[in-house]
Amino acid sequence: MTAVLGTAGASAANREGDADYDIVWPWSRRQRPGTGIVLRVKDEARSLPWVLPPLLRTATEVVLVDNGSTDGTPDVARRVADATGLGGKLTVTEYPFQVSRCGPEHLYTPADSVHSLVWFYSWSFAHLSTTYSVKWDGDMVLTREGEELLRELAWRLPGREAVLYVPRHSLYVESDRVAYLDLGLFNAEPFGYPMSPAYPHVKAFEWELRIHPEGVDHVKLPEGTCLELKYLDSDEFAHWTDVDAFATSLRTRRKRREHRLFTDLVEGRWEEHAASGLHRIEVPAGSGAHVVDHVTEVWLPAAPRPLVDPALRRLTSQDRARGRRQQEPT
C-alpha cells in the first residue's frame, strides 16, 4: 500500500490549510550541484557531538529539523557546528506538529496531513538546495572510513541516477565505558536519492518510503561504516505506536531483534546473544576515551572482516536482481 503526494507544480498544500507548512518542491527552484543531508531529530542532544561533525565535513549542506525536542537539541547542534568551524553549512529549523508514530498510527494518518510521516519528510527535504539528498538519523555515527567514503561519494553522486545504501550496526550504550555492538544482522537501507519528482516520499504500511524508478544504480557503503546509537537508559521505541506494531511483519525483522536485544540488555542478559553476533565492548583501563569513540576509532578498524556473517546479510533490490540474472539460462 502506498499513497503518493502530488509532485506536479511548484508546491503542495496540506489538508489542515496551514500555508506556513505547505511544501515548496525543491526542483521548482534553482538547485546547486552537491549533496545535502537532512536530519529529522527529537531529543538527540547527547548524540549530536558524534553525529554532526562528520556530516558537516562531508556534505555541501546539512539541514536539521527539530520536532519538539526538550533537551536543547537545536542549541547543541549550533554549538557543535560552530566548534567545527563549519557552522555556515548548518541550517536548523523546527517542525511543531506531533508526527504519527510508525505502525497503525502512521497507517491511519492521511499522507497530506501535517501529522503524517510522508508530509514531515517531504517538508524537511524541501529545505535542501542541492541536487542530491541523503536522509540521516540523529543517532547515526559515521566511522572514519565511513566519513571518507561518504565524502568521496558526496561529489560523485550529484548528477547520477543512483540510490545510496547505508549499513547500520546498532551500538547499545550502557555507560561511557561499556557498550554492546550487534553484528548479528547486516542491514543496509536506501538513504540517498537525487532530488527530483521521480524520487518522492510515499506512505507504506508501517512508515514512509522513498521510491525510485526501475534501473537506477545502487551504491552501497561497506559494513562497519556507520553505527546507530541506542541508549539503554532511554525509550528507544517511542516512535512506534506500540510493540505489537512490529511483532509479526516480515518487514520489521530488524525492529524485533532490536527490541529483544534492548530488553535483555536492560535486564543484564547479554551472554545468551554472544553466539548470535552481539559483542560486549569495554574501554580498556587507562584510556579516557568514551566508548563510542573507542568503538569507531579502535575496535571497528581492528575487527576482522567480514564483520557480519554473509549468511545474515539482508539483500538490497540490486542484489536480488543480480541473483536472478545469474540464475537465468544463457
Side-chain angles (χ1 to χ4, degrees):
M1 173 183 177
T2 58
V4 185
L5 295 175
T7 54
S11 62
N14 58 73
R15 65 170 47 215
E16 286 81 7
D18 191 333
D20 289 339
Y21 291 91
D22 286 346
I23 298 167
V24 179
W25 300 114
W27 45 82
S28 69
R29 58 184 184 266
R30 185 177 180 84
Q31 296 171 284
R32 54 176 172 160
T35 294
I37 297 178
V38 175
L39 293 90
R40 300 101 26 253
V41 297
K42 183 174 183 177
D43 294 335
E44 297 286 4
R46 61 174 162 178
S47 295
L48 289 180
W50 292 292
V51 174
L52 201 49
L55 302 182
L56 291 168
R57 293 191 291 263
T58 294
T60 307
E61 62 177 336
V62 176
V63 173
L64 184 143
V65 183
D66 186 69
N67 185 217
S69 293
T70 59
D71 65 349
T73 287
D75 291 336
V76 171
R78 295 185 184 98
R79 288 199 299 270
V80 170
D82 288 343
T84 67
L86 298 170
K89 284 189 174 186
L90 177 68
T91 298
V92 178
T93 188
E94 296 184 5
Y95 192 79
F97 305 102
Q98 182 173 333
V99 178
S100 296
R101 293 169 293 177
C102 296
E105 194 171 289
H106 157 72
L107 187 60
Y108 299 147
T109 305
D112 62 350
S113 168
V114 294
H115 302 288
S116 167
L117 281 168
V118 181
W119 196 269
F120 179 36
Y121 273 71
S122 299
W123 184 87
S124 298
F125 275 81
H127 286 73
L128 287 180
S129 64
T130 53
T131 55
Y132 198 84
S133 63
V134 176
K135 161 190 169 182
W136 209 259
D137 294 344
D139 56 5
M140 289 171 54
V141 178
L142 280 170
T143 64
R144 189 175 303 167
E145 178 189 12
E147 180 181 344
E148 292 172 356
L149 290 171
L150 190 58
R151 184 185 303 116
E152 179 75 10
L153 289 170
W155 68 268
R156 290 181 177 270
L157 287 173
R160 287 185 58 185
E161 298 296 317
V163 174
L164 174 66
Y165 283 76
V166 178
R168 290 180 289 169
H169 305 292
S170 295
L171 184 70
Y172 298 86
V173 180
E174 178 179 290
S175 68
D176 290 355
R177 309 288 294 179
V178 177
Y180 302 85
L181 180 62
D182 182 19
L183 298 180
L185 177 68
F186 181 84
N187 177 67
E189 295 184 20
F191 274 20
Y193 297 84
M195 285 298 286
S196 87
Y199 299 84
H201 289 92
V202 304
K203 180 180 177 181
F205 283 104
E206 287 90 6
W207 47 66
E208 89 300 329
L209 292 174
R210 197 167 177 186
I211 58 176
H212 57 79
E214 291 289 334
V216 301
D217 291 337
H218 289 211
V219 179
K220 289 181 291 185
L221 292 180
E223 59 186 45
T225 51
C226 181
L227 299 177
E228 185 176 54
L229 305 183
K230 297 183 181 300
Y231 298 95
L232 296 181
D233 63 353
S234 66
D235 183 358
E236 288 290 343
F237 304 94
H239 60 294
W240 278 84
T241 305
D242 52 45
V243 174
D244 290 339
F246 52 83
T248 58
S249 172
L250 292 175
R251 295 179 296 272
T252 54
R253 173 191 170 200
R254 178 175 65 89
K255 190 56 61 178
R256 289 196 299 277
R257 177 175 174 85
E258 289 175 358
H259 185 262
R260 182 182 178 191
L261 289 177
F262 185 89
T263 301
D264 286 351
L265 288 171
V266 167
E267 296 177 358
R269 301 188 305 270
W270 78 272
E271 289 93 343
E272 63 188 80
H273 298 288
S276 66
L278 186 67
H279 299 262
R280 183 182 187 277
I281 301 174
E282 184 171 357
V283 179
S287 171
H290 191 282
V291 68
V292 174
D293 295 316
H294 176 71
V295 172
T296 56
E297 298 175 9
V298 179
W299 197 94
L300 270 175
R305 267 49 176 182
L307 291 171
V308 180
D309 183 341
L312 299 173
R313 196 161 67 89
R314 178 176 170 181
L315 300 182
T316 66
S317 56
Q318 183 190 42
D319 296 319
R320 291 190 289 270
R322 182 185 298 115
R324 287 194 297 269
R325 289 194 297 270
Q326 291 173 347
Q327 294 173 12
E328 291 174 356
T330 57

